[in-house]
Amino acid sequence: MTAKPGKRRLAFLRLAVLLLMTPPALAWNAAGHRLSAMIAWQRLDGETRSAVAAILRQHPDFSRWQARGKGADPDLTAFLEASTWPDDIRKDKRFYTAGSEQPTPTLAGFPDMERRLGWHYVDRPLPAGRRMPASAGVLDRQLAVLADTLSDPRASAVERSYALPWLIHLVGDAHQPLHTASRYGPDAADRQGDSGGNALKVFNPWQERYQTTNLHRYWDDLPGPPWLRGSKLDSAARSLTILYPAPGASTSPQQWIDESWQLAGIAAYPPSDDAVPTISAAFHANALDIARRRVTYAGYRLADQLQLLLKGASRRGDRRRHQEAAQR
């Protein structure tokens, strides 16, 4: 059966974007998070954009974000740079890693200086049904905590300006399959698993510079090149929303994580028993499609959540101020 012209055009556009955005070496940790943030920003209404901007302007690193992002719109620049901030502080000497480094002095505007590496993931076991120790990662719980902080009109400016970049970032992490799962071997003594694919080496012939990598990094690298900014970022985000329409009614963070975990079980691992699996053309094409769909969905859902949380907080804050004024 011959494909209809509209479907052929959509298939061609999908292929063109996949080829254009195939990453040279790095990192969902930058391009993927910026894409999700840009998609969210494009969908936010004016009231929520203003609320987001007011919160981010209180963040201690707001001026750093402007210097690095160099965007014409300072509010959009802050939103995009905030999306990668929780990864950026991994190499920032102002911060420390609990358990391996001594705490650093708490600077003005921060609640503390810990890098909070356990917030980025939650390891649910593969295959399904394995009973393993509780994950050291708390991505699922932290998404709820951050949402509560942003929706609480009594939260301080420091608490909200710290919570918002983390929420922007962790919504993206929740949509990456290997931020939600680890695979365990058949031996009951295997209590460590593969740490979300970090312990599984793979050979990726589609990557010229870093062909030998681990599976987790392979997935992190899929959405686009690290230099994706400015008009190219805007165009790429708009192309993704054409390719991947919104998935319907907004769902909960727990459902995002469930989706990612299910994808990890059926599509994240190369179908090979080799000690170092080779990424095939078919696997790579499917992984690219999944990664970009998940990045896009993260953007849609981030916008929905921010509009729900910040409008609700604003209304509750107005009611509280009216009540306090009436009592005076």
Side-chain angles (χ1 to χ4, degrees):
M1 180 180 295
T2 302
K4 294 181 179 179
K7 291 185 177 180
R8 286 201 300 269
R9 285 195 295 271
L10 183 59
F12 178 79
L13 178 59
R14 186 187 299 268
L15 177 61
V17 171
L18 292 178
L19 293 174
L20 174 66
M21 296 174 58
T22 299
L26 301 170
W28 186 341
N29 291 342
H33 285 291
R34 290 193 200 111
L35 282 165
S36 292
M38 179 62 84
I39 289 166
W41 185 263
Q42 291 168 350
R43 292 175 67 85
L44 291 178
D45 59 37
E47 180 183 349
T48 309
R49 280 190 184 182
S50 295
V52 164
I55 294 171
L56 292 180
R57 284 177 178 272
Q58 300 297 314
H59 195 282
D61 281 354
F62 181 81
S63 60
R64 289 174 179 246
W65 295 339
Q66 301 304 313
R68 184 173 59 187
K70 301 177 181 178
D73 180 345
D75 295 333
L76 172 57
T77 297
F79 193 70
L80 295 175
E81 294 302 313
S83 75
T84 66
W85 182 81
D87 277 345
D88 297 335
I89 64 174
R90 293 172 187 249
K91 297 181 180 180
D92 190 326
K93 293 183 179 180
R94 297 175 299 163
F95 297 83
Y96 72 97
T97 300
S100 62
E101 296 176 326
Q102 291 297 315
T104 55
T106 300
L107 302 178
F110 292 106
D112 62 62
M113 308 306 291
E114 188 178 341
R115 293 192 177 103
R116 306 290 182 186
L117 301 184
W119 289 9
H120 294 264
Y121 70 97
V122 57
D123 282 336
R124 295 173 59 180
L126 293 173
R130 288 292 299 269
R131 300 181 64 85
M132 306 306 299
S135 171
V138 293
L139 172 62
D140 51 348
R141 286 177 279 167
Q142 198 55 38
L143 280 167
V145 170
L146 296 167
D148 286 344
T149 299
L150 285 173
S151 65
D152 183 359
R154 293 180 173 84
S156 68
V158 169
E159 291 171 328
R160 300 184 91 204
S161 68
Y162 183 77
L164 181 52
W166 271 107
L167 182 72
I168 296 168
H169 184 86
L170 294 187
V171 170
D173 281 351
H175 285 77
Q176 207 274 50
L178 290 180
H179 274 257
T180 67
S182 283
R183 190 168 68 174
Y184 293 82
D187 187 346
D190 178 12
R191 312 288 287 179
Q192 187 66 34
D194 68 2
S195 299
N198 279 290
L200 177 62
K201 296 291 185 184
V202 296
F203 181 76
N204 179 16
W206 315 103
Q207 171 53 264
E208 293 182 2
R209 296 181 60 191
Y210 302 99
Q211 292 187 329
T212 300
T213 185
N214 67 66
L215 186 65
H216 189 103
R217 182 177 178 182
Y218 166 78
W219 275 90
D220 272 350
D221 287 354
L222 288 170
W227 45 256
L228 197 61
R229 290 182 182 272
S231 61
K232 291 183 178 179
L233 175 67
D234 181 81
S235 295
R238 294 184 186 279
S239 295
L240 287 174
T241 59
I242 294 171
L243 294 174
Y244 305 108
S250 186
T251 55
S252 69
Q254 188 58 55
Q255 288 173 294
W256 311 338
I257 291 172
D258 286 344
E259 291 171 356
S260 291
W261 177 72
Q262 290 168 11
L263 284 169
I266 63 176
Y269 288 83
S272 170
D273 294 328
D274 294 342
V276 180
T278 295
I279 302 297
S280 69
F283 180 89
H284 187 58
N286 190 53
L288 282 168
D289 182 65
I290 290 172
R292 284 159 187 162
R293 184 183 301 274
R294 298 300 286 167
V295 162
T296 309
Y297 282 11
Y300 292 140
R301 289 163 170 173
L302 174 60
D304 290 344
Q305 188 171 51
L306 290 176
Q307 290 179 162
L308 176 66
L309 295 174
L310 296 180
K311 284 184 177 179
S314 177
R315 287 192 292 269
R316 286 190 292 273
D318 289 344
R319 286 197 298 269
R320 178 172 60 84
R321 285 188 288 273
H322 288 316
Q323 290 168 357
E324 291 173 349
Q327 292 170 359
R328 287 199 292 268

PDB file of all heavy atoms in Angstrom, residues 223-256:
ATOM      1  N   PRO A 223      19.853  12.716  22.419  1.00  0.00           N
ATOM      2  CA  PRO A 223      18.968  13.771  21.887  1.00  0.00           C
ATOM      3  C   PRO A 223      19.622  14.799  20.994  1.00  0.00           C
ATOM      4  O   PRO A 223      18.961  15.341  20.107  1.00  0.00           O
ATOM      5  CB  PRO A 223      18.408  14.428  23.153  1.00  0.00           C
ATOM      6  CG  PRO A 223      18.478  13.367  24.174  1.00  0.00           C
ATOM      7  CD  PRO A 223      19.752  12.645  23.874  1.00  0.00           C
ATOM      8  N   GLY A 224      20.907  15.147  21.201  1.00  0.00           N
ATOM      9  CA  GLY A 224      21.497  16.177  20.351  1.00  0.00           C
ATOM     10  C   GLY A 224      22.862  16.596  20.836  1.00  0.00           C
ATOM     11  O   GLY A 224      23.304  16.206  21.914  1.00  0.00           O
ATOM     12  N   PRO A 225      23.558  17.420  20.056  1.00  0.00           N
ATOM     13  CA  PRO A 225      24.913  17.854  20.390  1.00  0.00           C
ATOM     14  C   PRO A 225      24.916  18.908  21.489  1.00  0.00           C
ATOM     15  O   PRO A 225      23.956  19.674  21.625  1.00  0.00           O
ATOM     16  CB  PRO A 225      25.440  18.432  19.072  1.00  0.00           C
ATOM     17  CG  PRO A 225      24.208  18.894  18.365  1.00  0.00           C
ATOM     18  CD  PRO A 225      23.121  17.917  18.731  1.00  0.00           C
ATOM     19  N   PRO A 226      25.995  18.981  22.281  1.00  0.00           N
ATOM     20  CA  PRO A 226      26.025  19.890  23.425  1.00  0.00           C
ATOM     21  C   PRO A 226      25.991  21.359  23.045  1.00  0.00           C
ATOM     22  O   PRO A 226      25.642  22.199  23.867  1.00  0.00           O
ATOM     23  CB  PRO A 226      27.334  19.526  24.138  1.00  0.00           C
ATOM     24  CG  PRO A 226      28.186  18.931  23.072  1.00  0.00           C
ATOM     25  CD  PRO A 226      27.243  18.193  22.167  1.00  0.00           C
ATOM     26  N   TRP A 227      26.364  21.689  21.809  1.00  0.00           N
ATOM     27  CA  TRP A 227      26.396  23.096  21.395  1.00  0.00           C
ATOM     28  C   TRP A 227      25.028  23.622  20.966  1.00  0.00           C
ATOM     29  O   TRP A 227      24.890  24.768  20.556  1.00  0.00           O
ATOM     30  CB  TRP A 227      27.378  23.290  20.247  1.00  0.00           C
ATOM     31  CG  TRP A 227      27.300  22.260  19.152  1.00  0.00           C
ATOM     32  CD1 TRP A 227      28.163  21.225  18.943  1.00  0.00           C
ATOM     33  CD2 TRP A 227      26.313  22.146  18.114  1.00  0.00           C
ATOM     34  NE1 TRP A 227      27.773  20.473  17.857  1.00  0.00           N
ATOM     35  CE2 TRP A 227      26.646  21.027  17.325  1.00  0.00           C
ATOM     36  CE3 TRP A 227      25.183  22.885  17.779  1.00  0.00           C
ATOM     37  CZ2 TRP A 227      25.887  20.618  16.234  1.00  0.00           C
ATOM     38  CZ3 TRP A 227      24.415  22.491  16.690  1.00  0.00           C
ATOM     39  CH2 TRP A 227      24.774  21.367  15.940  1.00  0.00           C
ATOM     40  N   LEU A 228      23.991  22.812  21.060  1.00  0.00           N
ATOM     41  CA  LEU A 228      22.671  23.202  20.563  1.00  0.00           C
ATOM     42  C   LEU A 228      22.101  24.331  21.415  1.00  0.00           C
ATOM     43  O   LEU A 228      21.671  24.137  22.556  1.00  0.00           O
ATOM     44  CB  LEU A 228      21.736  21.994  20.584  1.00  0.00           C
ATOM     45  CG  LEU A 228      20.457  22.086  19.751  1.00  0.00           C
ATOM     46  CD1 LEU A 228      20.781  22.265  18.275  1.00  0.00           C
ATOM     47  CD2 LEU A 228      19.608  20.845  19.951  1.00  0.00           C
ATOM     48  N   ARG A 229      22.096  25.551  20.870  1.00  0.00           N
ATOM     49  CA  ARG A 229      21.612  26.748  21.569  1.00  0.00           C
ATOM     50  C   ARG A 229      20.963  27.692  20.556  1.00  0.00           C
ATOM     51  O   ARG A 229      20.984  27.443  19.354  1.00  0.00           O
ATOM     52  CB  ARG A 229      22.766  27.480  22.265  1.00  0.00           C
ATOM     53  CG  ARG A 229      23.373  26.775  23.471  1.00  0.00           C
ATOM     54  CD  ARG A 229      24.464  27.644  24.070  1.00  0.00           C
ATOM     55  NE  ARG A 229      25.143  27.060  25.201  1.00  0.00           N
ATOM     56  CZ  ARG A 229      24.744  27.171  26.463  1.00  0.00           C
ATOM     57  NH1 ARG A 229      23.636  27.856  26.736  1.00  0.00           N
ATOM     58  NH2 ARG A 229      25.445  26.636  27.451  1.00  0.00           N
ATOM     59  N   GLY A 230      20.450  28.797  21.064  1.00  0.00           N
ATOM     60  CA  GLY A 230      19.976  29.875  20.206  1.00  0.00           C
ATOM     61  C   GLY A 230      18.899  29.456  19.230  1.00  0.00           C
ATOM     62  O   GLY A 230      18.002  28.675  19.546  1.00  0.00           O
ATOM     63  N   SER A 231      18.984  29.982  18.014  1.00  0.00           N
ATOM     64  CA  SER A 231      17.950  29.730  17.010  1.00  0.00           C
ATOM     65  C   SER A 231      17.898  28.261  16.609  1.00  0.00           C
ATOM     66  O   SER A 231      16.831  27.736  16.277  1.00  0.00           O
ATOM     67  CB  SER A 231      18.194  30.599  15.773  1.00  0.00           C
ATOM     68  OG  SER A 231      19.450  30.298  15.181  1.00  0.00           O
ATOM     69  N   LYS A 232      19.043  27.572  16.643  1.00  0.00           N
ATOM     70  CA  LYS A 232      19.045  26.146  16.298  1.00  0.00           C
ATOM     71  C   LYS A 232      18.310  25.329  17.355  1.00  0.00           C
ATOM     72  O   LYS A 232      17.602  24.369  17.034  1.00  0.00           O
ATOM     73  CB  LYS A 232      20.479  25.649  16.118  1.00  0.00           C
ATOM     74  CG  LYS A 232      21.167  26.219  14.888  1.00  0.00           C
ATOM     75  CD  LYS A 232      22.559  25.641  14.703  1.00  0.00           C
ATOM     76  CE  LYS A 232      23.212  26.199  13.430  1.00  0.00           C
ATOM     77  NZ  LYS A 232      24.583  25.659  13.243  1.00  0.00           N
ATOM     78  N   LEU A 233      18.485  25.703  18.623  1.00  0.00           N
ATOM     79  CA  LEU A 233      17.747  25.030  19.689  1.00  0.00           C
ATOM     80  C   LEU A 233      16.254  25.277  19.524  1.00  0.00           C
ATOM     81  O   LEU A 233      15.447  24.342  19.628  1.00  0.00           O
ATOM     82  CB  LEU A 233      18.227  25.542  21.046  1.00  0.00           C
ATOM     83  CG  LEU A 233      17.472  25.017  22.268  1.00  0.00           C
ATOM     84  CD1 LEU A 233      17.708  23.521  22.445  1.00  0.00           C
ATOM     85  CD2 LEU A 233      17.889  25.777  23.530  1.00  0.00           C
ATOM     86  N   ASP A 234      15.875  26.511  19.253  1.00  0.00           N
ATOM     87  CA  ASP A 234      14.466  26.849  19.069  1.00  0.00           C
ATOM     88  C   ASP A 234      13.871  26.060  17.909  1.00  0.00           C
ATOM     89  O   ASP A 234      12.778  25.490  18.022  1.00  0.00           O
ATOM     90  CB  ASP A 234      14.335  28.353  18.824  1.00  0.00           C
ATOM     91  CG  ASP A 234      12.886  28.783  18.637  1.00  0.00           C
ATOM     92  OD1 ASP A 234      12.188  28.954  19.639  1.00  0.00           O
ATOM     93  OD2 ASP A 234      12.460  28.941  17.468  1.00  0.00           O
ATOM     94  N   SER A 235      14.592  25.995  16.794  1.00  0.00           N
ATOM     95  CA  SER A 235      14.089  25.271  15.620  1.00  0.00           C
ATOM     96  C   SER A 235      13.976  23.782  15.899  1.00  0.00           C
ATOM     97  O   SER A 235      13.004  23.126  15.494  1.00  0.00           O
ATOM     98  CB  SER A 235      15.009  25.510  14.422  1.00  0.00           C
ATOM     99  OG  SER A 235      14.991  26.873  14.029  1.00  0.00           O
ATOM    100  N   ALA A 236      14.987  23.223  16.576  1.00  0.00           N
ATOM    101  CA  ALA A 236      14.952  21.791  16.892  1.00  0.00           C
ATOM    102  C   ALA A 236      13.778  21.473  17.810  1.00  0.00           C
ATOM    103  O   ALA A 236      13.082  20.466  17.620  1.00  0.00           O
ATOM    104  CB  ALA A 236      16.265  21.367  17.547  1.00  0.00           C
ATOM    105  N   ALA A 237      13.522  22.334  18.804  1.00  0.00           N
ATOM    106  CA  ALA A 237      12.402  22.107  19.714  1.00  0.00           C
ATOM    107  C   ALA A 237      11.075  22.145  18.962  1.00  0.00           C
ATOM    108  O   ALA A 237      10.195  21.300  19.186  1.00  0.00           O
ATOM    109  CB  ALA A 237      12.423  23.144  20.832  1.00  0.00           C
ATOM    110  N   ARG A 238      10.914  23.105  18.069  1.00  0.00           N
ATOM    111  CA  ARG A 238       9.664  23.200  17.310  1.00  0.00           C
ATOM    112  C   ARG A 238       9.497  21.994  16.375  1.00  0.00           C
ATOM    113  O   ARG A 238       8.381  21.496  16.178  1.00  0.00           O
ATOM    114  CB  ARG A 238       9.618  24.516  16.529  1.00  0.00           C
ATOM    115  CG  ARG A 238       9.546  25.744  17.443  1.00  0.00           C
ATOM    116  CD  ARG A 238       9.413  27.054  16.670  1.00  0.00           C
ATOM    117  NE  ARG A 238       9.500  28.186  17.577  1.00  0.00           N
ATOM    118  CZ  ARG A 238       8.500  28.650  18.322  1.00  0.00           C
ATOM    119  NH1 ARG A 238       7.309  28.070  18.237  1.00  0.00           N
ATOM    120  NH2 ARG A 238       8.671  29.699  19.113  1.00  0.00           N
ATOM    121  N   SER A 239      10.606  21.520  15.799  1.00  0.00           N
ATOM    122  CA  SER A 239      10.521  20.334  14.943  1.00  0.00           C
ATOM    123  C   SER A 239      10.086  19.112  15.745  1.00  0.00           C
ATOM    124  O   SER A 239       9.279  18.304  15.270  1.00  0.00           O
ATOM    125  CB  SER A 239      11.883  20.072  14.293  1.00  0.00           C
ATOM    126  OG  SER A 239      12.242  21.125  13.418  1.00  0.00           O
ATOM    127  N   LEU A 240      10.606  18.983  16.958  1.00  0.00           N
ATOM    128  CA  LEU A 240      10.228  17.838  17.781  1.00  0.00           C
ATOM    129  C   LEU A 240       8.746  17.868  18.136  1.00  0.00           C
ATOM    130  O   LEU A 240       8.094  16.817  18.182  1.00  0.00           O
ATOM    131  CB  LEU A 240      11.075  17.814  19.063  1.00  0.00           C
ATOM    132  CG  LEU A 240      12.538  17.399  18.881  1.00  0.00           C
ATOM    133  CD1 LEU A 240      13.307  17.560  20.186  1.00  0.00           C
ATOM    134  CD2 LEU A 240      12.652  15.960  18.384  1.00  0.00           C
ATOM    135  N   THR A 241       8.192  19.047  18.375  1.00  0.00           N
ATOM    136  CA  THR A 241       6.768  19.109  18.707  1.00  0.00           C
ATOM    137  C   THR A 241       5.887  18.786  17.500  1.00  0.00           C
ATOM    138  O   THR A 241       4.732  18.383  17.675  1.00  0.00           O
ATOM    139  CB  THR A 241       6.387  20.489  19.284  1.00  0.00           C
ATOM    140  OG1 THR A 241       6.681  21.516  18.334  1.00  0.00           O
ATOM    141  CG2 THR A 241       7.134  20.758  20.577  1.00  0.00           C
ATOM    142  N   ILE A 242       6.422  18.968  16.294  1.00  0.00           N
ATOM    143  CA  ILE A 242       5.697  18.534  15.094  1.00  0.00           C
ATOM    144  C   ILE A 242       5.744  17.014  14.979  1.00  0.00           C
ATOM    145  O   ILE A 242       4.748  16.357  14.679  1.00  0.00           O
ATOM    146  CB  ILE A 242       6.289  19.187  13.833  1.00  0.00           C
ATOM    147  CG1 ILE A 242       6.069  20.697  13.859  1.00  0.00           C
ATOM    148  CG2 ILE A 242       5.673  18.585  12.567  1.00  0.00           C
ATOM    149  CD1 ILE A 242       6.802  21.442  12.764  1.00  0.00           C
ATOM    150  N   LEU A 243       6.905  16.451  15.237  1.00  0.00           N
ATOM    151  CA  LEU A 243       7.074  15.008  15.117  1.00  0.00           C
ATOM    152  C   LEU A 243       6.346  14.245  16.210  1.00  0.00           C
ATOM    153  O   LEU A 243       5.825  13.148  15.975  1.00  0.00           O
ATOM    154  CB  LEU A 243       8.562  14.652  15.178  1.00  0.00           C
ATOM    155  CG  LEU A 243       9.431  15.135  14.019  1.00  0.00           C
ATOM    156  CD1 LEU A 243      10.894  14.834  14.296  1.00  0.00           C
ATOM    157  CD2 LEU A 243       9.003  14.473  12.721  1.00  0.00           C
ATOM    158  N   TYR A 244       6.318  14.812  17.405  1.00  0.00           N
ATOM    159  CA  TYR A 244       5.781  14.103  18.561  1.00  0.00           C
ATOM    160  C   TYR A 244       4.733  14.981  19.247  1.00  0.00           C
ATOM    161  O   TYR A 244       5.061  15.753  20.149  1.00  0.00           O
ATOM    162  CB  TYR A 244       6.897  13.755  19.548  1.00  0.00           C
ATOM    163  CG  TYR A 244       8.033  12.986  18.927  1.00  0.00           C
ATOM    164  CD1 TYR A 244       9.276  13.595  18.721  1.00  0.00           C
ATOM    165  CD2 TYR A 244       7.873  11.662  18.532  1.00  0.00           C
ATOM    166  CE1 TYR A 244      10.326  12.889  18.145  1.00  0.00           C
ATOM    167  CE2 TYR A 244       8.921  10.955  17.962  1.00  0.00           C
ATOM    168  CZ  TYR A 244      10.144  11.576  17.766  1.00  0.00           C
ATOM    169  OH  TYR A 244      11.177  10.890  17.198  1.00  0.00           O
ATOM    170  N   PRO A 245       3.481  14.885  18.847  1.00  0.00           N
ATOM    171  CA  PRO A 245       2.429  15.687  19.483  1.00  0.00           C
ATOM    172  C   PRO A 245       2.290  15.336  20.963  1.00  0.00           C
ATOM    173  O   PRO A 245       2.737  14.278  21.418  1.00  0.00           O
ATOM    174  CB  PRO A 245       1.170  15.305  18.695  1.00  0.00           C
ATOM    175  CG  PRO A 245       1.675  14.741  17.401  1.00  0.00           C
ATOM    176  CD  PRO A 245       2.973  14.082  17.722  1.00  0.00           C
ATOM    177  N   ALA A 246       1.660  16.234  21.703  1.00  0.00           N
ATOM    178  CA  ALA A 246       1.462  16.015  23.142  1.00  0.00           C
ATOM    179  C   ALA A 246       0.734  14.695  23.376  1.00  0.00           C
ATOM    180  O   ALA A 246      -0.188  14.338  22.634  1.00  0.00           O
ATOM    181  CB  ALA A 246       0.690  17.179  23.736  1.00  0.00           C
ATOM    182  N   PRO A 247       1.140  13.957  24.412  1.00  0.00           N
ATOM    183  CA  PRO A 247       0.602  12.605  24.619  1.00  0.00           C
ATOM    184  C   PRO A 247      -0.784  12.543  25.239  1.00  0.00           C
ATOM    185  O   PRO A 247      -1.241  11.473  25.623  1.00  0.00           O
ATOM    186  CB  PRO A 247       1.634  11.985  25.566  1.00  0.00           C
ATOM    187  CG  PRO A 247       2.201  13.126  26.327  1.00  0.00           C
ATOM    188  CD  PRO A 247       2.216  14.284  25.353  1.00  0.00           C
ATOM    189  N   GLY A 248      -1.471  13.644  25.379  1.00  0.00           N
ATOM    190  CA  GLY A 248      -2.803  13.606  25.951  1.00  0.00           C
ATOM    191  C   GLY A 248      -2.813  14.237  27.328  1.00  0.00           C
ATOM    192  O   GLY A 248      -1.967  15.071  27.659  1.00  0.00           O
ATOM    193  N   ALA A 249      -3.767  13.827  28.134  1.00  0.00           N
ATOM    194  CA  ALA A 249      -3.921  14.400  29.468  1.00  0.00           C
ATOM    195  C   ALA A 249      -2.627  14.257  30.255  1.00  0.00           C
ATOM    196  O   ALA A 249      -1.938  13.228  30.196  1.00  0.00           O
ATOM    197  CB  ALA A 249      -5.063  13.711  30.203  1.00  0.00           C
ATOM    198  N   SER A 250      -2.270  15.309  30.987  1.00  0.00           N
ATOM    199  CA  SER A 250      -1.041  15.297  31.770  1.00  0.00           C
ATOM    200  C   SER A 250      -1.107  14.211  32.834  1.00  0.00           C
ATOM    201  O   SER A 250      -2.154  13.977  33.447  1.00  0.00           O
ATOM    202  CB  SER A 250      -0.822  16.657  32.439  1.00  0.00           C
ATOM    203  OG  SER A 250       0.419  16.700  33.093  1.00  0.00           O
ATOM    204  N   THR A 251      -0.001  13.523  33.034  1.00  0.00           N
ATOM    205  CA  THR A 251       0.052  12.426  33.987  1.00  0.00           C
ATOM    206  C   THR A 251       0.959  12.800  35.151  1.00  0.00           C
ATOM    207  O   THR A 251       1.573  13.854  35.175  1.00  0.00           O
ATOM    208  CB  THR A 251       0.576  11.159  33.298  1.00  0.00           C
ATOM    209  OG1 THR A 251       1.845  11.442  32.682  1.00  0.00           O
ATOM    210  CG2 THR A 251      -0.396  10.681  32.233  1.00  0.00           C
ATOM    211  N   SER A 252       1.057  11.908  36.126  1.00  0.00           N
ATOM    212  CA  SER A 252       1.821  12.185  37.338  1.00  0.00           C
ATOM    213  C   SER A 252       3.277  11.777  37.158  1.00  0.00           C
ATOM    214  O   SER A 252       3.609  10.935  36.313  1.00  0.00           O
ATOM    215  CB  SER A 252       1.230  11.409  38.505  1.00  0.00           C
ATOM    216  OG  SER A 252       1.467  10.014  38.336  1.00  0.00           O
ATOM    217  N   PRO A 253       4.188  12.337  37.973  1.00  0.00           N
ATOM    218  CA  PRO A 253       5.592  11.920  37.929  1.00  0.00           C
ATOM    219  C   PRO A 253       5.772  10.413  38.087  1.00  0.00           C
ATOM    220  O   PRO A 253       6.660   9.825  37.455  1.00  0.00           O
ATOM    221  CB  PRO A 253       6.218  12.699  39.080  1.00  0.00           C
ATOM    222  CG  PRO A 253       5.415  13.955  39.155  1.00  0.00           C
ATOM    223  CD  PRO A 253       4.005  13.512  38.861  1.00  0.00           C
ATOM    224  N   GLN A 254       4.942   9.786  38.919  1.00  0.00           N
ATOM    225  CA  GLN A 254       5.069   8.336  39.076  1.00  0.00           C
ATOM    226  C   GLN A 254       4.779   7.615  37.765  1.00  0.00           C
ATOM    227  O   GLN A 254       5.437   6.625  37.418  1.00  0.00           O
ATOM    228  CB  GLN A 254       4.116   7.831  40.155  1.00  0.00           C
ATOM    229  CG  GLN A 254       4.311   6.362  40.512  1.00  0.00           C
ATOM    230  CD  GLN A 254       5.719   6.063  40.982  1.00  0.00           C
ATOM    231  OE1 GLN A 254       6.210   6.687  41.913  1.00  0.00           O
ATOM    232  NE2 GLN A 254       6.385   5.104  40.338  1.00  0.00           N
ATOM    233  N   GLN A 255       3.845   8.123  36.982  1.00  0.00           N
ATOM    234  CA  GLN A 255       3.545   7.514  35.689  1.00  0.00           C
ATOM    235  C   GLN A 255       4.680   7.741  34.697  1.00  0.00           C
ATOM    236  O   GLN A 255       4.967   6.868  33.876  1.00  0.00           O
ATOM    237  CB  GLN A 255       2.224   8.064  35.144  1.00  0.00           C
ATOM    238  CG  GLN A 255       1.010   7.556  35.899  1.00  0.00           C
ATOM    239  CD  GLN A 255      -0.274   8.234  35.469  1.00  0.00           C
ATOM    240  OE1 GLN A 255      -0.471   9.431  35.663  1.00  0.00           O
ATOM    241  NE2 GLN A 255      -1.170   7.475  34.866  1.00  0.00           N
ATOM    242  N   TRP A 256       5.334   8.921  34.748  1.00  0.00           N
ATOM    243  CA  TRP A 256       6.486   9.148  33.874  1.00  0.00           C
ATOM    244  C   TRP A 256       7.566   8.113  34.158  1.00  0.00           C
ATOM    245  O   TRP A 256       8.184   7.571  33.235  1.00  0.00           O
ATOM    246  CB  TRP A 256       7.076  10.543  34.083  1.00  0.00           C
ATOM    247  CG  TRP A 256       6.103  11.664  34.078  1.00  0.00           C
ATOM    248  CD1 TRP A 256       4.856  11.682  33.516  1.00  0.00           C
ATOM    249  CD2 TRP A 256       6.296  12.954  34.674  1.00  0.00           C
ATOM    250  NE1 TRP A 256       4.263  12.909  33.734  1.00  0.00           N
ATOM    251  CE2 TRP A 256       5.117  13.707  34.431  1.00  0.00           C
ATOM    252  CE3 TRP A 256       7.350  13.545  35.362  1.00  0.00           C
ATOM    253  CZ2 TRP A 256       4.974  15.018  34.880  1.00  0.00           C
ATOM    254  CZ3 TRP A 256       7.209  14.853  35.811  1.00  0.00           C
ATOM    255  CH2 TRP A 256       6.043  15.582  35.576  1.00  0.00           C
TER     256      TRP A 256
END
